[in-house]
Amino acid sequence: MQQTILITGASSGFGAMTAKALARAGHRVYASMRDPQGRGGAPAAEVERLAREENLAIRAIALDVLSEPSIEAAVETILAEAGRIDVVIHNAGHMVFGPTEAFTPEQLAQLYDVNVLGTQRVNRAVLPAMRSLGRALMIWVGSSSTRGGTPPFLAPYFAAKAGMDALAQSYALELARFGIETSIVVPGAFTKGTEHFAHSGKPADTERAAAYWSGPYAGVDDQALKGLAGLEPADADPSKVAEAIVDLVAMPHGRRPFRVHIDPSDDGAAIVNGVADRVRAQLLERIGLADLLHPKP
């Protein structure tokens, strides 16, 4: 059955792969991006080419997760055209790399704004329409870093992703009785095949950063990145994240897993999340709210 799907951050990486895969699976996809004219308009042009040449129901739409008016305009457009939003995929995010001390508080706030507050802005825009459907799906693209092994120099990103994960867990419980199901997709550290690491931000305080790069941590950045890359199997494929999301959308309502891990490097997040999610479920059972663990049929 065709679903109307809004995905954020679809100009590159997991977002672009997922939008394309969902459209090829027969869904009506709104591939949102901050600026469809950015990068010379190439990402939006690729979406238009797919729609034209493969006759897919996909279109690029402007949506900046930092801007409530931008989000509201995009949602209004989708509802006017399609009449509904069945699935929202929170994918937009940004990474930084460097000594934690060298990032300014403003940089950390900006990262939190993109990775966490952006999802809140989108939810406030889409949920009135989604709640009225009585059956919908929200997918959050998280990170194994929230509970897996954590190398140095990625703390602002890890902290933001942990915040997003906490938000997703609570939203899941608060939306279940409206029939909105939640799944958290947990990718590992794919160092190749996306622009995630290549486009990561740097610390603004270069003087403090230099104290690390020229001091006792000289070379640790390269060692960390090479170590992460070395953990990845040669066949690690980021498109598996897109395939997992297509599979989630296709599953029957109420039967989807709360989390799906796609982590070729196996950094331990699946084990820790398994324990944490069991503890979460047990608490809900102990306080008599176990029904919130599953969406209303």
Side-chain angles (χ1 to χ4, degrees):
M1 178 178 159
Q2 185 187 62
Q3 307 279 325
T4 298
I5 300 172
L6 167 62
I7 178 169
T8 64
S11 63
S12 64
F14 295 143
M17 296 177 196
T18 301
K20 185 187 303 183
L22 287 166
R24 285 176 172 160
H27 299 294
R28 184 171 188 170
V29 178
Y30 287 87
S32 77
M33 46 195 77
R34 183 176 55 183
D35 179 11
Q37 303 310 312
R39 302 185 195 179
E46 172 62 9
V47 170
E48 292 173 6
R49 185 194 65 78
L50 283 169
R52 183 177 61 253
E53 295 183 3
E54 299 186 29
N55 194 28
L56 301 179
I58 184 172
R59 65 163 287 192
I61 188 166
L63 187 158
D64 181 354
V65 297
L66 300 179
S67 164
E68 287 186 52
S70 167
I71 295 167
E72 288 166 1
V75 171
E76 285 177 12
T77 298
I78 297 168
L79 292 176
E81 289 183 1
R84 58 193 295 135
I85 298 175
D86 300 294
V87 182
V88 165
I89 302 173
H90 290 299
N91 171 75
H94 185 53
M95 175 188 283
V96 296
F97 185 86
T100 307
E101 180 192 343
F103 288 98
T104 64
E106 291 75 18
Q107 284 187 289
L108 263 67
Q110 187 178 39
L111 203 65
Y112 194 85
D113 205 4
V114 174
N115 289 285
V116 186
L117 300 186
T119 66
Q120 177 69 355
R121 294 187 187 97
V122 171
N123 279 358
R124 284 177 54 81
V126 300
L127 281 175
M130 292 178 76
R131 280 190 278 109
S132 69
L133 294 177
R135 178 172 291 201
L137 171 63
M138 185 164 288
I139 296 175
W140 305 67
V141 179
S143 168
S144 66
S145 64
T146 58
R147 284 182 173 142
T150 50
F153 304 136
L154 286 156
Y157 175 71
F158 291 166
K161 279 298 189 183
M164 193 200 83
D165 193 277
L167 201 61
Q169 291 184 56
S170 288
Y171 258 119
L173 302 175
E174 295 174 18
L175 295 177
R177 288 187 182 174
F178 290 109
I180 299 176
E181 191 166 20
T182 294
S183 286
I184 304 173
V185 174
V186 187
F190 287 92
T191 61
K192 301 179 289 292
T194 73
E195 298 167 341
H196 213 37
F197 280 87
H199 287 178
S200 61
K202 305 299 180 191
D205 191 337
T206 55
E207 185 176 343
R208 293 197 190 218
Y212 287 77
W213 301 144
S214 61
Y217 286 87
V220 175
D221 52 340
D222 284 340
Q223 186 177 353
L225 292 175
K226 288 177 181 175
L228 284 174
L231 289 179
E232 282 184 61
D235 61 352
D237 181 359
S239 70
K240 297 296 182 186
V241 175
E243 292 177 14
I245 292 174
V246 172
D247 290 344
L248 275 174
V249 172
M251 289 179 187
H253 182 72
R255 303 285 296 276
R256 300 178 176 99
F258 182 56
R259 288 187 198 273
V260 177
H261 295 82
I262 307 97
D263 180 18
S265 301
D266 191 16
D267 69 5
I271 296 172
V272 181
N273 275 329
V275 173
D277 291 341
R278 280 200 298 277
V279 171
R280 171 178 175 268
Q282 288 167 359
L283 176 69
L284 269 293
E285 291 165 359
R286 290 169 60 198
I287 62 175
L289 289 172
D291 71 292
L292 302 185
L293 294 167
H294 305 284
K296 183 188 70 174

